Coordinates of all heavy atoms in Angstrom, one line a residue:
M919 N -7.0 -17.7 3.3 CA -5.7 -17.1 3.5 C -5.8 -15.7 4.1 O -6.6 -14.8 3.7 CB -5.1 -16.9 2.1 CG -3.7 -16.2 2.1 SD -2.9 -16.3 0.5 CE -3.3 -14.7 -0.1
S920 N -5.1 -15.5 5.1 CA -5.1 -14.2 5.9 C -4.2 -13.3 5.3 O -3.0 -13.6 5.1 CB -4.9 -14.4 7.3 OG -4.9 -13.3 8.1
T921 N -4.6 -11.9 5.1 CA -3.6 -10.9 4.7 C -3.7 -9.8 5.7 O -4.6 -9.7 6.5 CB -3.9 -10.4 3.2 OG1 -5.2 -9.8 3.3 CG2 -4.0 -11.6 2.3
N922 N -2.8 -8.9 5.5 CA -2.7 -7.6 6.3 C -3.5 -6.5 5.6 O -3.4 -5.4 6.0 CB -1.2 -7.2 6.6 CG -0.6 -8.1 7.4 OD1 -1.2 -8.8 8.4 ND2 0.7 -8.5 7.1
L923 N -4.2 -6.8 4.6 CA -5.0 -5.7 3.8 C -6.1 -5.2 4.7 O -6.7 -6.1 5.5 CB -5.4 -6.3 2.6 CG -4.4 -6.7 1.5 CD1 -5.1 -7.2 0.3 CD2 -3.5 -5.6 1.1
P924 N -6.4 -4.0 4.7 CA -7.5 -3.5 5.5 C -8.9 -4.2 5.2 O -9.0 -4.5 4.0 CB -7.6 -2.0 5.3 CG -6.3 -1.7 4.6 CD -5.8 -2.9 4.0
D925 N -9.8 -4.2 6.1 CA -11.1 -4.8 5.7 C -11.9 -3.9 4.8 O -11.6 -2.7 4.7 CB -11.9 -5.2 6.9 CG -12.2 -4.1 7.8 OD1 -12.6 -3.0 7.3 OD2 -12.3 -4.2 9.1
Q926 N -12.8 -4.3 4.2 CA -13.7 -3.6 3.2 C -14.5 -2.5 3.9 O -15.0 -1.6 3.1 CB -14.6 -4.6 2.4 CG -13.8 -5.5 1.5 CD -12.9 -4.8 0.5 OE1 -13.4 -3.8 -0.1 NE2 -11.7 -5.1 0.3
S927 N -14.6 -2.5 5.2 CA -15.4 -1.5 5.9 C -14.7 -0.1 5.7 O -15.4 0.9 5.9 CB -15.7 -1.8 7.3 OG -14.5 -1.9 8.0
N928 N -13.5 -0.1 5.4 CA -12.8 1.2 5.2 C -12.8 1.7 3.9 O -12.2 2.7 3.6 CB -11.3 1.0 5.7 CG -11.1 0.8 7.1 OD1 -12.0 1.2 8.0 ND2 -10.1 0.0 7.5
K929 N -13.4 1.0 3.0 CA -13.4 1.3 1.6 C -13.9 2.7 1.2 O -13.3 3.5 0.6 CB -14.1 0.2 0.8 CG -13.9 0.3 -0.7 CD -14.6 -1.0 -1.3 CE -14.3 -1.0 -2.8 NZ -14.8 -2.2 -3.4
K930 N -15.1 3.0 1.8 CA -15.8 4.3 1.5 C -14.9 5.5 2.1 O -14.7 6.5 1.4 CB -17.2 4.4 2.1 CG -18.2 3.7 1.2 CD -19.6 4.0 1.7 CE -20.6 3.3 0.9 NZ -21.9 3.5 1.4
A931 N -14.4 5.4 3.2 CA -13.6 6.4 3.9 C -12.3 6.6 3.1 O -11.9 7.8 2.9 CB -13.3 6.0 5.3
A932 N -11.7 5.6 2.6 CA -10.4 5.7 1.8 C -10.7 6.4 0.5 O -10.0 7.2 0.0 CB -9.8 4.4 1.6
A933 N -11.8 6.1 -0.2 CA -12.1 6.6 -1.5 C -12.5 8.1 -1.4 O -12.4 8.8 -2.3 CB -13.2 5.8 -2.1
S934 N -13.1 8.5 -0.3 CA -13.6 9.9 -0.2 C -12.7 10.9 0.4 O -12.9 12.0 0.3 CB -14.9 9.9 0.6 OG -14.7 9.4 1.9
G935 N -11.7 10.4 1.1 CA -10.8 11.3 1.9 C -9.7 11.9 1.1 O -9.0 11.2 0.3
P936 N -9.4 13.2 1.2 CA -8.4 13.9 0.4 C -7.1 13.9 1.2 O -6.2 14.5 0.8 CB -8.9 15.4 0.4 CG -9.7 15.5 1.6 CD -10.3 14.2 1.9
E937 N -7.0 13.1 2.3 CA -5.8 13.1 3.2 C -4.8 12.1 2.8 O -3.9 11.9 3.6 CB -6.3 12.9 4.6 CG -7.3 11.8 4.8 CD -7.9 11.7 6.1 OE1 -7.1 11.3 7.1 OE2 -9.1 12.0 6.3
S938 N -4.8 11.6 1.6 CA -3.8 10.7 1.1 C -2.4 11.4 1.0 O -2.4 12.6 0.6 CB -4.2 10.0 -0.1 OG -3.1 9.3 -0.7
D939 N -1.3 10.7 1.3 CA 0.0 11.2 1.2 C 0.8 10.4 0.1 O 2.0 10.4 0.2 CB 0.7 11.4 2.5 CG 1.0 10.1 3.1 OD1 0.4 9.0 2.8 OD2 1.8 10.0 4.1
F940 N 0.1 9.7 -0.8 CA 0.7 9.0 -1.8 C 1.5 9.9 -2.8 O 1.0 11.0 -3.0 CB -0.2 8.0 -2.5 CG -0.9 7.0 -1.7 CD1 -2.2 6.8 -1.6 CD2 -0.1 6.2 -0.7 CE1 -2.8 5.8 -0.7 CE2 -0.7 5.3 0.1 CZ -2.0 5.1 0.1
P941 N 2.6 9.4 -3.4 CA 3.3 10.3 -4.3 C 2.5 10.6 -5.5 O 1.7 9.9 -6.0 CB 4.5 9.4 -4.7 CG 4.2 8.1 -4.3 CD 3.1 8.1 -3.2
A942 N 2.8 11.9 -6.0 CA 2.1 12.4 -7.2 C 2.2 11.5 -8.4 O 1.3 11.5 -9.2 CB 2.5 13.8 -7.5
G943 N 3.3 10.8 -8.6 CA 3.5 10.0 -9.8 C 2.8 8.7 -9.9 O 2.9 7.9 -10.8
L944 N 2.1 8.4 -8.8 CA 1.3 7.1 -8.8 C 0.1 7.2 -9.7 O -0.7 8.2 -9.8 CB 0.9 6.9 -7.3 CG 0.5 5.4 -7.0 CD1 1.7 4.5 -7.2 CD2 0.1 5.4 -5.5
S945 N 0.0 6.2 -10.5 CA -1.1 6.1 -11.6 C -2.5 6.1 -10.9 O -2.7 5.7 -9.8 CB -0.9 4.9 -12.5 OG -1.2 3.7 -11.7
K946 N -3.5 6.6 -11.7 CA -4.8 6.6 -11.2 C -5.3 5.1 -10.9 O -6.0 5.0 -9.8 CB -5.7 7.3 -12.2 CG -5.5 8.7 -12.2 CD -6.6 9.5 -13.1 CE -6.3 10.9 -13.2 NZ -6.3 11.7 -12.0
P947 N -5.1 4.2 -11.7 CA -5.5 2.8 -11.4 C -4.9 2.3 -10.0 O -5.6 1.7 -9.2 CB -5.0 1.9 -12.5 CG -4.9 2.9 -13.7 CD -4.5 4.1 -13.1
A948 N -3.6 2.6 -9.8 CA -2.9 2.2 -8.6 C -3.6 3.0 -7.4 O -3.8 2.4 -6.3 CB -1.4 2.6 -8.6
L949 N -3.9 4.3 -7.5 CA -4.5 5.0 -6.5 C -5.9 4.5 -6.1 O -6.3 4.3 -5.0 CB -4.7 6.5 -6.9 CG -3.4 7.3 -6.9 CD1 -3.6 8.6 -7.5 CD2 -2.9 7.5 -5.5
R950 N -6.7 4.1 -7.2 CA -7.9 3.5 -7.0 C -7.8 2.2 -6.3 O -8.6 1.8 -5.4 CB -8.7 3.3 -8.4 CG -9.3 4.6 -8.9 CD -10.2 4.4 -10.1 NE -9.6 3.8 -11.2 CZ -9.1 4.4 -12.2 NH1 -9.0 5.7 -12.3 NH2 -8.6 3.7 -13.2
A951 N -6.8 1.4 -6.7 CA -6.6 0.1 -6.0 C -6.3 0.2 -4.5 O -6.8 -0.4 -3.7 CB -5.5 -0.6 -6.7
L952 N -5.4 1.2 -4.2 CA -5.1 1.4 -2.8 C -6.4 2.0 -2.0 O -6.6 1.4 -0.9 CB -4.0 2.4 -2.7 CG -2.6 1.9 -3.2 CD1 -1.7 3.1 -3.4 CD2 -2.1 0.9 -2.4
A953 N -7.1 2.9 -2.6 CA -8.2 3.5 -1.9 C -9.3 2.3 -1.8 O -10.0 2.3 -0.7 CB -8.8 4.6 -2.7
G954 N -9.4 1.5 -2.8 CA -10.5 0.4 -2.8 C -10.2 -0.6 -1.7 O -11.0 -1.2 -1.2
A955 N -8.9 -0.7 -1.4 CA -8.4 -1.7 -0.4 C -8.4 -1.0 1.1 O -8.1 -1.7 2.0 CB -7.1 -2.3 -0.8
G956 N -8.7 0.2 1.1 CA -8.7 0.9 2.4 C -7.5 1.7 2.8 O -7.4 2.0 3.9
F957 N -6.5 1.8 1.9 CA -5.3 2.4 2.2 C -5.4 3.9 1.9 O -5.8 4.4 0.8 CB -4.1 1.9 1.3 CG -3.8 0.4 1.7 CD1 -4.0 -0.6 0.8 CD2 -3.2 0.1 2.9 CE1 -3.8 -1.9 1.2 CE2 -2.9 -1.1 3.3 CZ -3.1 -2.2 2.3
L958 N -5.1 4.8 2.9 CA -5.1 6.2 2.8 C -3.7 6.9 2.9 O -3.5 7.9 2.3 CB -6.0 6.9 3.9 CG -7.4 6.9 3.7 CD1 -8.1 7.5 4.9 CD2 -7.8 7.8 2.5
R959 N -2.8 6.2 3.7 CA -1.5 6.8 4.1 C -0.4 5.8 3.8 O -0.6 4.7 3.8 CB -1.6 7.2 5.5 CG -2.8 8.0 6.0 CD -2.8 9.4 5.9 NE -1.6 10.0 6.4 CZ -1.2 11.2 6.0 NH1 -1.8 11.9 5.1 NH2 -0.1 11.7 6.5
L960 N 0.7 6.4 3.5 CA 1.9 5.6 3.3 C 2.2 4.7 4.5 O 2.6 3.6 4.3 CB 3.1 6.5 3.0 CG 3.2 7.1 1.6 CD1 4.3 8.2 1.6 CD2 3.5 6.0 0.6
E961 N 2.0 5.2 5.7 CA 2.2 4.5 6.9 C 1.5 3.1 6.9 O 2.0 2.2 7.4 CB 1.9 5.2 8.1 CG 2.7 6.4 8.5 CD 2.3 7.7 7.6 OE1 1.3 7.7 7.0 OE2 3.1 8.7 7.7
Q962 N 0.3 3.1 6.3 CA -0.4 1.9 6.2 C 0.2 0.8 5.4 O 0.0 -0.4 5.6 CB -1.8 2.1 5.7 CG -2.7 3.0 6.7 CD -4.0 3.4 6.0 OE1 -4.0 4.1 5.0 NE2 -5.1 2.9 6.6
L963 N 1.0 1.3 4.4 CA 1.6 0.3 3.5 C 2.8 -0.4 4.2 O 3.2 -1.4 3.6 CB 2.1 1.1 2.2 CG 1.0 1.7 1.4 CD1 1.6 2.4 0.2 CD2 -0.1 0.8 1.0
A964 N 3.3 0.1 5.2 CA 4.4 -0.6 5.9 C 3.9 -1.9 6.6 O 4.8 -2.7 7.0 CB 5.0 0.4 6.9
R965 N 2.7 -2.1 6.7 CA 2.1 -3.3 7.3 C 1.9 -4.4 6.2 O 1.5 -5.5 6.6 CB 0.8 -3.0 7.9 CG 0.8 -2.0 9.0 CD -0.4 -1.9 9.8 NE -1.6 -1.8 8.9 CZ -2.5 -0.9 9.0 NH1 -2.5 0.0 9.9 NH2 -3.5 -0.8 8.1
V966 N 2.0 -4.1 5.0 CA 1.8 -5.2 3.9 C 3.0 -5.3 3.1 O 3.9 -4.5 3.0 CB 0.6 -4.8 3.1 CG1 -0.7 -4.7 3.8 CG2 0.8 -3.5 2.3
T967 N 3.1 -6.4 2.5 CA 4.3 -6.8 1.6 C 4.0 -6.3 0.2 O 2.8 -6.1 -0.2 CB 4.5 -8.4 1.5 OG1 3.3 -9.0 0.9 CG2 4.7 -8.9 2.9
E968 N 5.1 -6.2 -0.6 CA 4.9 -5.8 -2.0 C 4.0 -6.9 -2.7 O 3.1 -6.5 -3.5 CB 6.3 -5.8 -2.7 CG 7.1 -4.6 -2.2 CD 8.5 -4.5 -2.8 OE1 8.6 -5.1 -3.9 OE2 9.4 -3.8 -2.3
K969 N 4.2 -8.1 -2.4 CA 3.5 -9.2 -3.0 C 2.0 -9.1 -2.7 O 1.2 -9.2 -3.6 CB 4.0 -10.5 -2.5 CG 3.4 -11.8 -3.1 CD 4.0 -13.0 -2.6 CE 3.3 -14.2 -3.2 NZ 3.9 -15.5 -2.7
E970 N 1.6 -8.6 -1.5 CA 0.2 -8.4 -1.2 C -0.4 -7.3 -2.0 O -1.5 -7.3 -2.5 CB 0.0 -8.2 0.3 CG 0.2 -9.4 1.2 CD 0.1 -9.2 2.7 OE1 0.8 -8.2 3.1 OE2 -0.5 -10.0 3.3
L971 N 0.4 -6.2 -2.1 CA -0.1 -5.1 -2.9 C -0.3 -5.4 -4.4 O -1.2 -4.9 -5.0 CB 0.9 -3.9 -2.7 CG 0.7 -3.1 -1.5 CD1 1.7 -1.9 -1.5 CD2 -0.7 -2.6 -1.2
L972 N 0.7 -6.2 -4.8 CA 0.5 -6.6 -6.3 C -0.6 -7.4 -6.6 O -1.0 -7.6 -7.7 CB 1.8 -7.4 -6.7 CG 3.1 -6.5 -6.8 CD1 4.3 -7.3 -6.9 CD2 2.9 -5.5 -8.0
Q973 N -1.2 -8.0 -5.6 CA -2.5 -8.7 -5.8 C -3.7 -7.8 -6.0 O -4.8 -8.3 -6.5 CB -2.8 -9.6 -4.6 CG -1.8 -10.8 -4.4 CD -2.0 -11.5 -3.1 OE1 -2.9 -11.2 -2.4 NE2 -1.1 -12.5 -2.9
L974 N -3.5 -6.5 -5.7 CA -4.7 -5.6 -5.9 C -4.8 -5.3 -7.4 O -3.9 -5.0 -8.1 CB -4.4 -4.3 -5.2 CG -4.4 -4.4 -3.7 CD1 -4.0 -3.0 -3.1 CD2 -5.7 -4.9 -3.1
H975 N -6.1 -5.3 -8.0 CA -6.3 -5.0 -9.4 C -6.0 -3.6 -9.6 O -6.5 -2.6 -8.9 CB -7.7 -5.3 -9.7 CG -8.0 -5.0 -11.2 ND1 -7.5 -5.8 -12.2 CD2 -8.7 -4.0 -11.7 CE1 -8.0 -5.3 -13.4 NE2 -8.6 -4.1 -13.1
G976 N -5.0 -3.2 -10.4 CA -4.6 -1.8 -10.8 C -3.2 -1.5 -10.2 O -2.7 -0.5 -10.5
M977 N -2.7 -2.3 -9.3 CA -1.4 -2.2 -8.7 C -0.4 -3.1 -9.4 O -0.6 -4.3 -9.5 CB -1.4 -2.4 -7.2 CG 0.0 -2.2 -6.6 SD 0.6 -0.6 -6.6 CE -0.5 0.3 -5.7
G978 N 0.6 -2.5 -10.0 CA 1.6 -3.2 -10.7 C 3.0 -2.9 -10.2 O 3.2 -2.1 -9.3
P979 N 4.0 -3.5 -10.9 CA 5.4 -3.2 -10.4 C 5.8 -1.7 -10.5 O 6.6 -1.2 -9.7 CB 6.2 -4.1 -11.5 CG 5.3 -5.0 -12.0 CD 3.9 -4.4 -11.9
K980 N 5.2 -1.0 -11.5 CA 5.6 0.5 -11.6 C 5.1 1.2 -10.4 O 5.7 2.1 -9.8 CB 5.0 1.0 -12.9 CG 5.4 2.4 -13.1 CD 4.9 3.0 -14.4 CE 5.3 4.4 -14.6 NZ 4.7 4.9 -15.9
G981 N 3.9 0.8 -9.9 CA 3.3 1.5 -8.6 C 4.2 1.2 -7.5 O 4.4 2.1 -6.6
I982 N 4.6 -0.1 -7.3 CA 5.6 -0.4 -6.2 C 6.8 0.4 -6.3 O 7.3 0.9 -5.3 CB 5.8 -1.9 -6.2 CG1 4.6 -2.8 -6.0 CG2 6.9 -2.3 -5.2 CD1 3.9 -2.6 -4.8
K983 N 7.3 0.5 -7.6 CA 8.5 1.3 -7.7 C 8.4 2.8 -7.4 O 9.3 3.4 -6.9 CB 9.0 1.1 -9.2 CG 10.4 1.7 -9.5 CD 10.7 1.4 -10.9 CE 12.1 2.0 -11.3 NZ 12.4 1.8 -12.7
T984 N 7.2 3.3 -7.5 CA 6.9 4.6 -7.2 C 6.7 4.8 -5.7 O 7.1 5.8 -5.1 CB 5.7 5.2 -8.0 OG1 5.8 5.0 -9.3 CG2 5.3 6.6 -7.6
L985 N 6.1 3.8 -5.1 CA 5.8 3.9 -3.6 C 7.0 3.7 -2.8 O 7.3 4.3 -1.7 CB 4.8 2.8 -3.2 CG 3.3 3.2 -3.7 CD1 2.4 1.9 -3.5 CD2 2.8 4.3 -2.9
R986 N 8.0 2.8 -3.2 CA 9.2 2.4 -2.4 C 9.9 3.7 -1.9 O 10.2 3.8 -0.7 CB 10.0 1.5 -3.1 CG 11.1 0.8 -2.3 CD 11.8 -0.3 -3.0 NE 11.0 -1.4 -3.5 CZ 10.9 -1.7 -4.8 NH1 11.6 -1.1 -5.7 NH2 10.2 -2.7 -5.2
P987 N 10.3 4.6 -2.9 CA 11.2 5.7 -2.4 C 10.3 6.7 -1.5 O 10.8 7.4 -0.6 CB 11.6 6.4 -3.6 CG 10.9 5.8 -4.7 CD 10.3 4.5 -4.3
A988 N 9.0 6.8 -1.7 CA 8.2 7.6 -0.9 C 8.1 7.1 0.5 O 8.1 7.8 1.5 CB 6.7 7.6 -1.5
L989 N 8.1 5.8 0.7 CA 8.1 5.1 2.0 C 9.5 5.4 2.7 O 9.5 5.8 3.8 CB 7.9 3.6 1.9 CG 6.4 3.1 1.7 CD1 6.4 1.7 1.3 CD2 5.6 3.3 3.0
E990 N 10.5 5.2 1.8 CA 11.8 5.4 2.4 C 12.1 6.8 2.9 O 12.8 7.0 3.9 CB 12.9 5.0 1.3 CG 12.9 3.5 1.1 CD 13.8 3.0 0.0 OE1 14.4 3.9 -0.8 OE2 13.9 1.9 -0.4
A991 N 11.5 7.7 2.2 CA 11.7 9.2 2.6 C 11.0 9.4 3.9 O 11.4 10.4 4.6 CB 11.0 10.1 1.6
K992 N 10.0 8.6 4.4 CA 9.5 8.7 5.7 C 10.1 7.7 6.7 O 9.5 7.5 7.8 CB 8.0 8.4 5.6 CG 7.2 9.6 4.9 CD 5.8 9.4 5.1 CE 5.0 10.6 4.6 NZ 4.0 11.0 5.5
G993 N 11.2 7.1 6.3 CA 11.8 6.0 7.2 C 11.0 4.8 7.2 O 11.2 4.0 8.2
L994 N 10.3 4.5 6.3 CA 9.4 3.3 6.3 C 9.8 2.3 5.1 O 10.5 2.7 4.2 CB 7.9 3.6 6.1 CG 7.3 4.6 7.2 CD1 6.0 5.1 6.7 CD2 7.3 3.9 8.5
S995 N 9.3 1.1 5.1 CA 9.4 0.2 4.0 C 8.3 -0.8 4.1 O 7.5 -0.9 5.0 CB 10.7 -0.6 4.1 OG 10.7 -1.4 5.3
F996 N 8.1 -1.5 3.0 CA 7.1 -2.5 2.9 C 7.4 -3.6 4.0 O 8.6 -3.8 4.3 CB 7.0 -3.2 1.6 CG 6.5 -2.2 0.5 CD1 7.3 -1.7 -0.5 CD2 5.1 -1.9 0.5 CE1 6.8 -0.9 -1.5 CE2 4.6 -0.9 -0.4 CZ 5.5 -0.5 -1.5
A997 N 6.4 -4.3 4.4 CA 6.6 -5.4 5.4 C 7.5 -6.4 4.7 O 7.4 -6.6 3.4 CB 5.3 -6.0 5.8
S998 N 8.2 -7.2 5.4 CA 9.0 -8.3 4.8 C 8.1 -9.4 4.4 O 7.1 -9.7 5.0 CB 10.1 -8.8 5.9 OG 9.4 -9.5 6.9
E999 N 8.6 -10.2 3.4 CA 7.9 -11.3 2.8 C 7.7 -12.4 3.8 O 6.7 -13.2 3.7 CB 8.5 -11.8 1.5 CG 8.5 -10.8 0.4 CD 7.1 -10.6 -0.2 OE1 6.2 -11.4 -0.1 OE2 6.9 -9.4 -0.6
S1000 N 8.6 -12.6 4.7 CA 8.5 -13.7 5.7 C 7.2 -13.6 6.6 O 6.8 -14.6 7.1 CB 9.8 -13.8 6.6 OG 9.8 -12.6 7.4
G1001 N 6.8 -12.4 6.8 CA 5.6 -12.2 7.7 C 6.0 -12.1 9.2 O 5.2 -12.0 10.0
A1002 N 7.2 -12.5 9.5 CA 7.7 -12.5 10.9 C 7.9 -11.2 11.4 O 8.3 -10.3 10.7 CB 8.9 -13.4 11.0
S1003 N 7.7 -11.0 12.6 CA 7.9 -9.6 13.2 C 9.3 -9.4 13.6 O 9.7 -8.2 13.8 CB 7.0 -9.4 14.4 OG 7.2 -10.4 15.4
G1004 N 10.2 -10.4 13.6 CA 11.6 -10.2 14.0 C 12.4 -10.2 12.8 O 11.9 -10.4 11.6
K1005 N 13.7 -9.9 12.9 CA 14.5 -9.8 11.7 C 15.1 -11.2 11.5 O 15.4 -12.0 12.5 CB 15.7 -8.9 12.1 CG 15.3 -7.5 12.2 CD 16.5 -6.6 12.3 CE 16.1 -5.1 12.3 NZ 17.1 -4.2 12.2
S1006 N 15.3 -11.6 10.3 CA 15.8 -12.9 10.0 C 17.1 -12.6 9.2 O 17.3 -11.6 8.5 CB 14.8 -13.7 9.1 OG 14.5 -13.0 7.9
S1007 N 18.0 -13.6 9.2 CA 19.3 -13.5 8.5 C 19.4 -14.3 7.3 O 18.8 -15.3 7.2 CB 20.5 -13.9 9.4 OG 20.2 -13.9 10.7

């Protein structure tokens, strides 16, 4: 099964970098899950669905609920569940 999650080669860079712009209210397990999957910035989360993020150990519905408004504040959102690049009705 192919996902849009970053490959594991980014894992060390994500875990060591202080350049994350994730919201302060995000739990430590959720932050570790994101860093472990190679996510450093909110912009990267716009490429994945909520469902894909929920598959990460440590990421739960509360983390998604915290990330959603942070993405919206930057004019972003999670990828659509359909995986299609166009809009569907």
Side-chain angles (χ1 to χ4, degrees):
M919 177 171 103
S920 175
T921 66
N922 292 321
L923 299 176
D925 63 38
Q926 293 299 316
S927 63
N928 293 331
K929 194 172 184 176
K930 280 187 180 179
S934 64
E937 47 190 285
S938 169
D939 63 348
F940 297 131
L944 202 56
S945 70
K946 289 190 187 294
L949 286 169
R950 285 192 298 269
L952 291 169
F957 293 110
L958 275 176
R959 313 274 308 157
L960 284 168
E961 292 83 8
Q962 293 173 298
L963 300 181
R965 297 187 314 230
V966 295
T967 65
E968 292 180 18
K969 186 176 179 180
E970 287 173 316
L971 283 182
L972 287 169
Q973 292 174 1
L974 299 176
H975 181 73
M977 179 59 68
K980 187 175 177 183
I982 298 295
K983 188 177 178 181
T984 303
L985 288 167
R986 195 178 295 121
L989 282 167
E990 290 171 1
K992 290 190 167 228
L994 301 169
S995 65
F996 291 111
S998 66
E999 293 293 331
S1000 67
S1003 58
K1005 293 186 178 193
S1006 60
S1007 346

